[in-house]
Amino acid sequence: ALDLGGPRALWLARFNPDWRFALRGRSGYGSGLPAGGADRPDGAPRADDGAVRRLWEEGLFAERSALLLSLRRRDPAAARELLAGTWAAERAEDRLMFLDSLREGLSPQDEEFLERALADRSRNVRAIAAELLSALPSSALAARMAARARSCVALDRTGRPDRLVVEAPYECDPGMRRDGVVPGAPPGRGERSWWLVQVVEAAPLDTWPAHLGGRTPAQITALPVADDWEADLHAAWAQAAVRQRNTAWARALLRKPSAPMAAAPGDPARLLAVLPARERAEWAAEFIAAHGLSEAFRVLGVCAVPWAEPLGRAVVDALEIARDAGSYPWSFSGVLGLAERCLDPGGADRLAPLAAVPDEPEDGSPGAGGYWAEAFQRLVATLRLRATMLAEFEPPGDGGPAEGRAAAGGG
């Protein structure tokens, strides 16, 4: 509704305290700020505004959080300085949320502030600071973690140079704890394994090619690992690939789409999300073609909307196969719901034949064909509604605003 209303909707919302929620994450202004802020072309707050300073010092937490995020998007340094000015007086839970907002526009200029946060009295705040620093490959923390990681993982020098050997830490020393390594392992987890994973996932991935004989990520992840350390090592690399948005490592660790999902370390969906949109769609399409829809929901959830042609076709083919097998559609209700929102609405007419009641196989579930027909009828109707919405967003004689097409295409 705010996108459709445009600037006038935001202007109007500033006059009604009950609509304050509409402004959060939009312009950063709460109802306590003057409506004149709407006159700015970008609607963003300025750090030197007296009203902005007053809201930061006196506003509700939600208003302050929205203000900080909005300012961070416009002027990351000013947002950091605003936070630093009141940091010592903030509650621990507020420091945690405010610090998390620095993910927006994170840069090496934030390192000094984050290093100070490593000494925070809250363990959770220290953990977020360490995570953000580890996402900066040039940070001092990343260099410290890289040195620790290199001492733990190396090529076998005892006659098997094509194998990795692991020497996990024997203790969690004060320096490791300061850099965000949590000393206490979860129940059922060995301490050394726990410390190893935290060290390796915080080390820059660029550390490894030079340390391991100039090998590529794909070559490194293909090396055998001695003494059953492979699962821990690969899980740590997977977390690092997600944190550092490293496509080469994510691609290497994700494995081929034909492999079972359990073959990939960590969360395969999170690794998939690191890849470019087209590659994500192609990988997901091949995965569904190989494994069907039973494990596809999380994979589909990270693919760009509307789904690219190979992915949309793979989903529809898999649904048709499930229908022809005679099972009930209820097992696939999650995928059908995603398909209504994510398939390209331009393909509604091609799906119309699937809305007919099919012949039921002899060994099929009674009445399943009728339920599938209803499911496909709803799918086709929703796609046609979305196509109508798209057409409404297009001015006469124009292709329509890209933002409007994207919103209706995925809504």
Side-chain angles (χ1 to χ4, degrees), residues 79-125:
R80 184 181 62 249
E81 291 169 6
L82 193 70
L83 177 58
T86 60
W87 179 258
E90 303 288 354
R91 300 182 305 166
E93 55 267 35
D94 292 350
R95 292 199 306 276
L96 181 65
M97 297 301 293
F98 291 150
L99 191 65
D100 195 63
S101 70
L102 297 190
R103 296 181 192 277
E104 184 78 29
L106 184 66
S107 73
Q109 284 68 45
D110 299 316
E111 182 179 358
E112 182 180 352
F113 178 80
L114 293 172
E115 276 282 345
R116 293 200 302 272
L118 288 176
D120 195 89
R121 56 187 178 273
S122 166
R123 184 181 70 181
N124 291 333
V125 171

Side-chain angles (χ1 to χ4, degrees), residues 65-229:
S65 182
L67 172 66
L68 185 66
L69 183 60
S70 178
L71 185 58
R72 182 72 178 175
R73 289 169 177 163
R74 174 187 174 86
D75 189 343
R80 184 181 62 249
E81 291 169 6
L82 193 70
L83 177 58
T86 60
W87 179 258
E90 303 288 354
R91 300 182 305 166
E93 55 267 35
D94 292 350
R95 292 199 306 276
L96 181 65
M97 297 301 293
F98 291 150
L99 191 65
D100 195 63
S101 70
L102 297 190
R103 296 181 192 277
E104 184 78 29
L106 184 66
S107 73
Q109 284 68 45
D110 299 316
E111 182 179 358
E112 182 180 352
F113 178 80
L114 293 172
E115 276 282 345
R116 293 200 302 272
L118 288 176
D120 195 89
R121 56 187 178 273
S122 166
R123 184 181 70 181
N124 291 333
V125 171
R126 295 196 301 269
I128 291 293
E131 180 184 341
L132 293 176
L133 284 167
S134 68
L136 296 172
S138 61
S139 70
L141 180 139
R144 295 192 295 269
M145 287 300 195
R148 294 181 182 116
R150 286 194 296 268
S151 70
C152 294
V153 182
L155 293 171
D156 192 340
R157 303 299 183 187
T158 63
R160 293 280 305 275
D162 59 343
R163 183 177 71 166
L164 296 177
V165 292
V166 174
E167 191 70 30
Y170 285 94
E171 65 172 337
C172 186
D173 60 42
M176 291 169 62
R177 291 196 294 271
R178 183 183 182 277
D179 285 344
V181 177
V182 178
R189 182 74 177 269
E191 285 186 331
R192 295 184 65 204
S193 165
W194 175 242
W195 299 332
L196 172 75
V197 168
Q198 292 181 82
V199 167
V200 172
E201 73 181 23
L205 289 165
D206 292 344
T207 298
W208 300 109
H211 181 59
L212 300 177
R215 290 174 171 83
T216 65
Q219 292 170 333
I220 291 172
T221 55
L223 291 173
V225 184
D227 302 326
D228 297 324
W229 285 107

Side-chain angles (χ1 to χ4, degrees), residues 267-348:
D267 185 344
R270 296 184 68 197
L271 287 170
L272 185 62
V274 178
L275 302 182
R278 183 71 187 186
E279 187 175 352
R280 254 181 285 162
E282 292 172 350
W283 192 98
E286 292 183 35
F287 180 86
I288 291 170
H291 305 286
L293 295 171
S294 60
E295 295 184 279
F297 190 78
R298 285 189 301 131
V299 168
L300 290 171
V302 300
C303 291
V305 176
W307 289 334
E309 171 60 24
L311 177 55
R313 186 172 59 250
V315 170
V316 172
D317 289 347
L319 288 171
E320 189 172 3
I321 290 171
R323 181 199 65 174
D324 294 344
S327 60
Y328 288 117
W330 303 315
S331 299
F332 306 96
S333 58
V335 173
L336 282 163
L338 275 179
E340 289 185 31
R341 300 191 297 274
C342 302
L343 280 173
D344 185 343

Side-chain angles (χ1 to χ4, degrees), residues 2 9 12-24 31:
L2 287 172
L12 187 61
R14 291 192 177 95
F15 292 96
N16 189 337
D18 292 338
W19 296 351
R20 183 182 303 175
F21 69 91
L23 304 175
R24 292 171 185 163
S31 61

